[in-house]
Amino acid sequence: MGDEISDGTPVPKIGIIDRVDLDQMIMDFPDVYRYLAREEMRTEVELYRLETETLMGSTTTLTDRIEGLGELADSTDLYWATDFARVGDVVTQTLRPKDPRAQEKNPILVSFGGVFGPEHAALREQFERSTRFGASGEVVLPAEVVGTVTITGPELVAGVYTGMEVRFEALSSSACIGTAAELRFYDEHGTQVIAHEGRISHLTKGSDGFATRIDFFDHLQIELLSPEDLSQPGHAEIKYNLRRIRPADALGVEEILTAINQTDLLCRVFIEDKQLASLAFAPGADSTVDRDLDAMFRLAYDLSCSGTLSNLFQHPRSVDAARAHQPTSGPTTAGRLRCRGPGSACWHSYFDRFGQSSSTSNSCR
């Protein structure tokens, strides 16, 4: 016959193995065996329908039934296992890859034909930032936006669904998470004027660019959405929380926020001393520092200087925001800068009073 069949197809190699080898293969690859034997296991499926009947005895029976259903669910696909949980009246199914290349061998595709209405403008912007740049944060699409959902992939989840709420979030599994990152600001002469180091907490790519989030002082987050097309503007999401912040850290937050609002400064992002991006900020509409916040920054400056003073005086019980930085004479000045004993935490109470969480958006160019 030769090495090929008449149409040019190579002759298959055929071997014979005994029952012992077959049993060993079943033990080595139980998922494959259960998948191929599904039709012959229908009687077992009928037996597992006992979960609808009354449970008697200890929780062992319930555990055994759940474990058995889990094995059957896992046998429906060669590359994906199905984990499930029930909380109240809500049953959650979670797909877990059996194979490192499961997403290539049996990809899961989700599509929906919904429409964003005028009332969903903010949601649409959040959705586009997540898909185009990989912006952090969960996006929740209500059923009226989603419309019909079509899922292709493993048998247990594949199908067409309606009335569903869709939640998704850009995953950040970069090796750079936790790596030191630095913002450096330069003037029009190319001289570095400000530099602050933070840590990367999110780094991922979307269809049109990538998202980088850097945390500073545990109280300031700056997320940069950088387009691959450098002719297009980027976006910066800035969030800060000044509650119970140390005075020195508050000054660092203020310095970064001030630099961002200076349009004549060029900002460069470095990761391990390698430049990642270069950009300039356009101030957002809500970039003005309010009166109380300004007073807190001034008080933080005073408190940061307290370590250089040697005289101890009584700390005042309260601070007027409007006069927090007005010059005073004698022991009052020193008393406002340094305190001991029960009054040593008094600056915390002031920061608790005026501390706040804030968020602002800036465009980048």
Side-chain angles (χ1 to χ4, degrees):
M1 179 181 290
D3 296 333
E4 293 184 350
I5 303 177
S6 58
D7 61 355
T9 304
V11 176
K13 296 181 179 180
I14 300 175
I16 300 175
I17 60 177
D18 58 20
R19 177 66 178 269
V20 175
D21 290 334
L22 283 173
D23 290 343
Q24 184 62 46
M25 291 179 65
I26 291 174
M27 288 187 290
D28 292 340
F29 306 101
D31 288 347
V32 177
Y33 170 73
R34 284 194 291 266
Y35 174 78
L36 297 175
R38 285 193 69 217
E39 291 301 320
E40 300 176 9
M41 294 172 62
R42 290 197 176 276
T43 55
E44 296 183 36
V45 174
E46 294 294 332
L47 289 176
Y48 278 115
R49 287 179 180 170
L50 289 173
E51 81 276 2
T52 61
E53 298 182 4
T54 303
L55 291 172
M56 304 295 291
S58 66
T59 58
T60 303
T61 305
L62 176 62
T63 302
D64 291 343
R65 291 181 183 179
I66 292 176
E67 184 178 358
L69 286 172
E71 292 177 356
L72 287 176
D74 292 348
S75 71
T76 60
D77 193 87
L78 279 175
Y79 306 108
W80 296 94
T82 304
D83 298 328
F84 50 87
R86 174 182 176 269
V87 179
D89 294 330
V90 178
V91 177
T92 303
Q93 298 182 35
T94 305
L95 295 179
R96 171 172 44 85
K98 298 179 183 178
D99 187 291
R101 299 177 59 193
Q103 73 278 6
E104 300 176 11
K105 296 178 179 179
N106 187 13
I108 301 173
L109 302 178
V110 180
S111 61
F112 55 91
V115 177
F116 290 98
E119 69 277 15
H120 302 123
L123 180 60
R124 179 171 185 169
E125 184 178 15
Q126 183 187 17
F127 172 80
E128 290 182 348
R129 288 176 181 175
S130 181
T131 55
R132 293 178 57 207
F133 298 98
S136 64
E138 184 183 54
V139 180
V140 181
L141 300 178
E144 64 267 21
V145 169
V146 173
T148 301
V149 178
T150 303
I151 302 177
T152 59
E155 178 183 335
L156 283 186
V157 297
V160 179
Y161 305 89
T162 58
M164 291 182 62
E165 177 184 87
V166 174
R167 295 170 176 258
F168 66 91
E169 184 174 1
L171 300 179
S172 183
S173 57
S174 171
C176 291
I177 300 299
T179 302
E182 191 175 18
L183 286 188
R184 301 177 188 174
F185 292 87
Y186 299 82
D187 62 17
E188 65 273 16
H189 304 295
T191 303
Q192 179 178 310
V193 293
I194 297 172
H196 283 282
E197 183 179 287
R199 294 285 172 180
I200 294 178
S201 57
H202 179 85
L203 180 62
T204 192
K205 192 177 184 301
S207 60
D208 296 344
F210 61 93
T212 310
R213 188 180 65 203
I214 309 174
D215 296 352
F216 297 90
F217 311 109
D218 295 326
H219 286 271
L220 170 66
Q221 284 189 339
I222 299 178
E223 183 165 354
L224 304 174
L225 307 184
S226 307
E228 293 180 346
D229 183 356
L230 299 181
S231 65
Q232 298 297 316
H235 180 80
E237 188 75 18
I238 303 167
K239 299 179 180 179
Y240 58 90
N241 181 351
L242 301 178
R243 246 183 132 69
R244 292 190 174 272
I245 189 173
R246 295 186 302 173
D249 292 344
L251 293 179
V253 171
E254 180 196 26
E255 191 170 57
I256 294 176
L257 294 178
T258 301
I260 287 175
N261 288 321
Q262 290 184 244
T263 57
D264 58 334
L265 294 182
L266 176 67
C267 177
R268 291 174 180 164
V269 183
F270 289 82
I271 298 179
E272 294 182 338
D273 214 32
K274 296 179 181 179
Q275 183 172 316
L276 176 68
S278 178
L279 59 144
F281 292 96
D286 54 351
S287 59
T288 303
V289 178
D290 63 44
R291 187 163 164 266
D292 285 340
L293 192 58
D294 181 62
M296 185 165 60
F297 284 139
R298 291 172 181 270
L299 180 60
Y301 174 78
D302 287 347
L303 290 169
S304 68
C305 298
S306 63
T308 63
L309 301 178
S310 58
N311 296 328
L312 304 180
F313 299 96
Q314 181 63 37
H315 198 285
R317 292 182 178 275
S318 63
V319 179
D320 184 352
R323 303 182 60 189
H325 199 63
Q326 289 184 358
T328 57
S329 59
T332 307
T333 303
R336 206 174 85 247
L337 296 179
R338 188 169 184 174
C339 55
R340 289 291 186 269
S344 62
C346 54
W347 69 273
H348 273 307
S349 63
Y350 182 77
F351 275 54
D352 284 344
R353 179 183 175 191
F354 292 106
Q356 56 183 283
S357 297
S358 184
S359 174
T360 183
S361 297
N362 297 63
S363 59
C364 309
R365 63 183 188 277

